[in-house]
Amino acid sequence: MKKFGKKILATVVAATMVLGLAACGGSKDAADDSGSGSGSGGGDKIKVGIINNDPNESGYRTANDKDLKAMFCEANGYEASFAYSLKNDEQITAAQKFIQDGVDYLLLSAADTSGWDSVLKDAQDAGIQVILFDRTIDADESLYAASIVSDMDKEGETAANWLKDQNLSEYNIIHLQGVMGSAAQQGRSGALDQMAKDNGWKIVTQQTAEWNAEKAQQIVQSVIDSGEKFNVIYAENDDMAKGAVEALDKANISHGVGKDVVVMGFDCNKWALEELLAQNWNYDGQCNPFQASYIDEVIKTLEKGEKPAEKVIIMEEKGFDASSITQDDVDKYGI
């Protein structure tokens, strides 16, 4: 494939800064070439630069990264480079480097929804198509070719409605948030905030644990130590729910179906769904990590000189209740 109008950015951030993402993102290499490597001459292969969150962030992200690497490989006609970070400015630095390297496609799962307009305009000027995956951004739709995402608002609404339907005698909620500003955090927080406001629920504490189990455990432990009453853990991913449960177990506080504390998570890791099956947790919201095949189809469409049928491709997802989940659900939907 030939691209026209590609340019070298006037302002180039040194390659060493992109390589510096390794320490920040927790990955072995910030630009981990799974193809023949940027600038090495991939022949007719399609060059893609993939910017993602740290694969060690969660089970969801590990599955997401594995899915992308399986698809965007030499055997499938791709020359792919990967960069990882949980910080928006570091991701933008990586995007600038990929534009400088002259990739054909920039695939992006943004750490934050804002701040992307300038670099996406640079990509557009360079003739590079941008495809969003996993997370939306606050940018004009003309700046990207397609967006393959979960409906994070719907994920939050499904969970909040489920919680309301439990008809608890009172609602005293520990709210463990993900990385602030991410689409997942905004969707899952926004729905709970609105439901709590509409129904007079008490949010005992609302803090970010940045998707991290240990930080979640510390937050819940601090509430336990304070003596504040609570009966719901609303954790915006499974790892934070796991950390919260560890704090409950240490304090001998019962949790799950018919117990003292309702436990809610998101992502549907297999081990988390098994906790539902054992009725140790109460709810888990699905978030589909397998976007690579969708992205591949979009690229194939663009390669033919056509536009994707839909600008925004929403993946179907559901929520699981401990009282109705089956082993088949665990096997089919667990990641």
Side-chain angles (χ1 to χ4, degrees):
M1 178 190 68
K2 299 294 183 182
K3 295 287 181 185
F4 299 96
K6 285 187 177 177
K7 65 172 186 174
I8 302 299
L9 290 177
T11 303
V12 175
V13 181
T16 52
M17 291 184 66
V18 178
L19 293 174
L21 291 180
C24 300
S27 171
K28 180 180 68 175
D29 292 302
D32 176 20
D33 298 334
S34 64
S36 54
S38 293
S40 62
D44 293 331
K45 289 185 172 60
I46 299 169
K47 293 180 66 175
V48 295
I50 303 175
I51 299 173
N52 205 348
N53 292 257
D54 180 4
N56 300 312
E57 167 202 86
S58 62
Y60 168 90
R61 190 62 56 186
T62 301
N64 180 247
D65 182 56
K66 184 178 179 181
D67 184 49
L68 291 167
K69 285 183 173 176
M71 174 60 71
F72 297 104
C73 61
E74 287 190 355
N76 290 333
Y78 291 102
E79 177 187 335
S81 299
F82 293 79
Y84 305 100
S85 180
L86 290 169
K87 297 181 179 180
N88 222 44
D89 58 344
E90 292 176 342
Q91 286 192 338
I92 288 170
T93 296
Q96 291 169 329
K97 180 62 166 58
F98 285 147
I99 293 169
Q100 176 194 358
D101 289 343
V103 298
D104 298 311
Y105 294 91
L106 185 63
L107 313 184
L108 171 64
S109 178
D112 197 301
T113 57
S114 61
W116 285 98
D117 294 74
S118 179
V119 72
L120 294 193
K121 287 177 182 175
D122 287 338
Q124 189 175 73
D125 290 345
I128 297 168
Q129 298 270 25
V130 176
I131 300 172
L132 308 180
F133 67 93
D134 175 48
R135 296 179 174 183
T136 58
I137 58 173
D138 296 328
D140 192 278
E141 287 190 354
S142 66
L143 295 176
Y144 53 88
S147 177
I148 297 97
V149 292
S150 300
D151 188 336
M152 300 298 186
D153 290 341
K154 186 177 180 181
E155 285 181 8
E157 290 164 4
T158 300
N161 284 326
W162 176 89
L163 183 55
K164 181 182 179 182
D165 290 343
Q166 302 315 295
N167 295 313
L168 304 180
S169 58
E170 58 182 347
Y171 286 81
N172 300 301
I173 304 167
I174 293 178
H175 182 188
L176 301 171
Q177 297 172 291
V179 172
M180 300 303 292
S182 66
Q185 178 273 315
Q186 291 181 345
R188 296 167 191 175
S189 290
L192 180 63
D193 286 344
Q194 189 61 52
M195 188 66 78
K197 180 180 178 181
D198 292 345
N199 293 278
W201 297 351
K202 181 178 180 180
I203 304 296
V204 175
T205 189
Q206 183 179 61
Q207 298 183 52
T208 178
E210 299 179 333
W211 312 123
N212 182 271
E214 184 177 342
K215 291 180 180 179
Q217 181 179 355
Q218 292 169 355
I219 292 169
V220 174
Q221 187 62 55
S222 68
V223 175
I224 293 171
D225 292 342
S226 75
E228 184 82 26
K229 182 170 63 173
F230 65 92
N231 64 335
V232 177
I233 301 286
Y234 183 100
E236 292 182 358
N237 82 339
D238 290 338
D239 287 326
M240 293 190 296
K242 182 180 181 180
V245 165
E246 289 178 0
L248 297 179
D249 287 341
K250 286 186 176 181
N252 294 316
I253 298 173
S254 67
H255 50 85
V257 178
K259 301 300 174 64
D260 293 332
V261 178
V262 171
V263 177
M264 302 174 66
F266 288 87
D267 288 350
C268 289
N269 285 281
K270 187 172 184 179
W271 56 263
L273 294 184
E274 288 170 345
E275 291 294 327
L276 262 71
L277 194 63
Q279 300 198 333
N280 295 324
W281 293 17
N282 302 76
Y283 176 90
D284 207 33
Q286 185 186 17
C287 191
N288 187 350
F290 304 116
Q291 293 116 28
S293 62
Y294 292 86
I295 299 170
D296 179 58
E297 285 301 315
V298 169
I299 290 176
K300 286 176 179 175
T301 298
L302 293 169
E303 287 291 296
K304 291 187 290 187
E306 301 173 2
K307 290 185 178 181
E310 297 175 300
K311 189 81 169 184
V312 179
I313 301 168
I314 303 292
M315 296 180 293
E316 288 294 324
E317 296 170 333
K318 60 174 69 178
F320 292 94
D321 186 319
S323 64
S324 58
I325 193 170
T326 66
Q327 184 63 56
D328 285 343
D329 291 329
V330 175
D331 295 338
K332 182 176 180 180
Y333 297 103
I335 61 173

